[in-house]
Amino acid sequence: MMRLFKFATASALAMIVATGAMAKSDITLAMQLEPPHLDPTSAAAGAIDSVLYSNVFEGLTRFASDGSIIPGLAQSWVISDDGLTYTFKLAEGVTFHDGTTMDAEDVKFSLDRARAEDSANAQKALFASIADVEAVDASTVKITLSAPNGSLLFNLAWGDAVIVAPESIENIKQAPVGTGAFKFANWVQGDNITLEKNADYWGTPAKLDKVTFKFISDPTAAFAAVMAEDVDVFAGYPAPENVPQFEADPRFQVIVGNTEGETILSTNNKMPPFDNVKVREAMAHAIDRQAIIDGAMFGLGTPIGTHFAPHNPDYVDLTAGSAYDPEKAKALLAEAGFAEGFTTTLKLPPPSYARRGGEIIAAQLREVGIQTEITNLEWAQWLEEVFKGKDFGLTIVSHTEPMDIGIYARPDYYFQYDDADFQAMNTALEAEADPAKRSALLDQMQRKISGDYVNGYLFQLAIPTIAKAGVQGLWENAPTQANDMTAVSWAE
């Protein structure tokens, strides 16, 4: 009997160990926002890239965790002396998740689709300098530009520039087909998206067999889910006030990194009275950035005075130009003809930085006579009403796209800033490849939009990630809005 008991116990232990090993081959990662659909090439929602970038979809180039541009589906490239021709050599043996071959024709299809006149691509401007895309042979693509573009390799790394299978377009929003280390498995709308390891991946295989992205929008529910260990990771944890508690708990690790997210009080520059620069300047001086960082983000965040990331070597600190000075704000409003103030709308998307920050900003603006009518919107509403419809006075949003100061050169962009001088600077930047000259132009561009008080520049969004102690390989910083799971694993 004793021998049988020992045998049974050993078997049970073996089963437990095996089960534990199986459990450690998958991860549940929570995030606050759910994608509206799953096509990164036809929407502005960063949540799409948060799930799919690098995991499911890949581009010719890609962002590394430190923000550098490295090869993706293009293993190498040659740039002509005049800067007008880029010849890319594609990786060999790449297949889409449906088993079809990925070749130069797919690259041509994807880039032509992105830059087409009727394209729904949210970042169509990335492809504006492309004059022609040619499939030279199955593994060679030649891109010809209308003018030199020093940002082309950077632009091609965006999620908006990933390579898609022509056969998948009809169902891409619900069933994406890419070339990445994970393939789409299932979407339970309102709850989770599951990715599974791509056994036929052309590159370094993923270490995990399965990744489940769980969507938890409410900060209180987020705290409960992490504490109960119902999720393994919460990326972009929405309640920074809880961070010290997690730091003190040995079950967890806390990773606080930088993002490309310029958090701004976006201002409708064509809507009166915001078409008056004095009103915009007044509003900038009515805002106490540090109070917003402390009150809404519990100290996580870096003040900014322009639309540029402080960790970028070309960043210029212009915060002094919009220092908190409510008396100056009142004087500027009086000069602009609004001594008694005015009322406007403040439409807020779901993230806590917007909802919490909005209440603080509303109180600060009230002190100088600006009344705000706050409306809380879900992301789909915000995208339709604010981003597309331009039906707002003020809103708060974090622009998480990398190096995106060029949006200020687009008069039809949702905050509707239209300045010929800035547009000329941006055109010059796009054509310039010399690093020193690019830095000088970026200096001018930052100063221009700061001096025009286009938006209320608040802070650079920090990204706190809470993970179980055994998780390794997560990105610390967010050079693009992505949860790249391709190198993530559990410590043995």
Side-chain angles (χ1 to χ4, degrees), residues 14 40 71 87 222 322 370 389 431:
T87 304
S322 52
I370 301 173

Side-chain angles (χ1 to χ4, degrees), residues 31 35-53 481:
M31 46 189 274
H37 61 72
L38 304 180
D39 178 11
T41 66
S42 65
I48 303 174
D49 279 355
S50 292
V51 173
L52 302 177
Y53 185 86
Q481 192 159 331

Side-chain angles (χ1 to χ4, degrees), residues 23 31 53 56 77 96 104 115 122-123 151 252 260 263 265 267 280 299 302 310 376 388 397 406 417 450:
M31 46 189 274
Y53 185 86
V56 171
W77 48 84
F96 286 106
R115 66 193 188 91
Q123 302 295 339
S151 301
F252 305 110
E260 291 294 318
T263 307
L265 179 65
T267 306
R280 300 196 302 270
T302 305
N376 290 332
K388 291 182 181 177
V397 71
Y417 173 63
S450 180

Side-chain angles (χ1 to χ4, degrees), residues 329-392:
K330 291 176 186 177
L332 285 163
L333 285 174
E335 285 180 41
F338 294 95
E340 303 303 314
F342 60 88
T343 299
T344 189
T345 59
L346 177 56
K347 298 188 176 182
L348 303 174
S352 53
Y353 68 74
R355 299 280 172 88
R356 293 174 174 180
E359 295 291 342
I360 297 169
I361 286 175
Q364 293 176 352
L365 294 179
R366 196 179 306 124
E367 290 296 313
V368 301
I370 301 173
Q371 306 296 324
T372 57
E373 297 171 349
I374 294 179
T375 306
N376 290 332
L377 302 176
E378 293 306 310
W379 265 119
Q381 293 174 289
W382 188 90
L383 288 167
E384 191 64 32
E385 197 170 312
V386 177
F387 189 77
K388 291 182 181 177
K390 305 178 180 66
D391 180 14
F392 75 106

Side-chain angles (χ1 to χ4, degrees), residues 353-483:
Y353 68 74
R355 299 280 172 88
R356 293 174 174 180
E359 295 291 342
I360 297 169
I361 286 175
Q364 293 176 352
L365 294 179
R366 196 179 306 124
E367 290 296 313
V368 301
I370 301 173
Q371 306 296 324
T372 57
E373 297 171 349
I374 294 179
T375 306
N376 290 332
L377 302 176
E378 293 306 310
W379 265 119
Q381 293 174 289
W382 188 90
L383 288 167
E384 191 64 32
E385 197 170 312
V386 177
F387 189 77
K388 291 182 181 177
K390 305 178 180 66
D391 180 14
F392 75 106
L394 301 172
T395 187
I396 299 173
V397 71
S398 191
H399 282 256
T400 55
E401 295 83 4
M403 189 70 169
D404 60 347
I405 195 169
I407 58 179
Y408 288 78
R410 294 157 57 180
D412 61 341
Y413 201 63
Y414 78 105
F415 44 70
Q416 301 189 90
Y417 173 63
D418 188 356
D419 186 90
D421 289 340
F422 185 89
Q423 290 158 22
M425 293 176 199
N426 190 64
T427 298
L429 178 72
E430 289 179 344
E432 185 57 67
D434 180 80
K437 292 178 180 177
R438 286 179 62 84
S439 293
L441 283 164
L442 287 168
D443 182 295
Q444 294 174 40
M445 292 166 74
Q446 290 175 69
R447 294 179 189 278
K448 175 63 176 170
I449 59 173
S450 180
D452 283 352
Y453 300 93
V454 181
N455 291 306
Y457 301 107
L458 305 177
F459 58 89
Q460 197 73 14
L461 188 68
I463 181 166
T465 294
I466 315 299
K468 289 182 181 176
V471 180
Q472 56 189 16
L474 295 165
W475 280 11
E476 176 181 346
N477 299 316
T480 189
Q481 192 159 331
N483 292 302

Side-chain angles (χ1 to χ4, degrees), residues 11-81:
S11 299
L13 285 170
M15 288 179 67
I16 290 168
V17 170
T19 302
M22 287 177 65
K24 294 300 183 182
S25 68
D26 67 88
I27 271 182
T28 298
L29 181 144
M31 46 189 274
Q32 194 174 19
L33 302 177
E34 180 175 17
H37 61 72
L38 304 180
D39 178 11
T41 66
S42 65
I48 303 174
D49 279 355
S50 292
V51 173
L52 302 177
Y53 185 86
S54 187
N55 298 322
V56 171
F57 286 114
E58 299 174 299
L60 292 177
T61 58
R62 58 159 292 176
F63 292 104
S65 59
D66 63 357
S68 60
I69 304 301
I70 60 175
L73 292 173
Q75 294 294 275
S76 63
W77 48 84
V78 176
I79 306 171
S80 63
D81 291 341

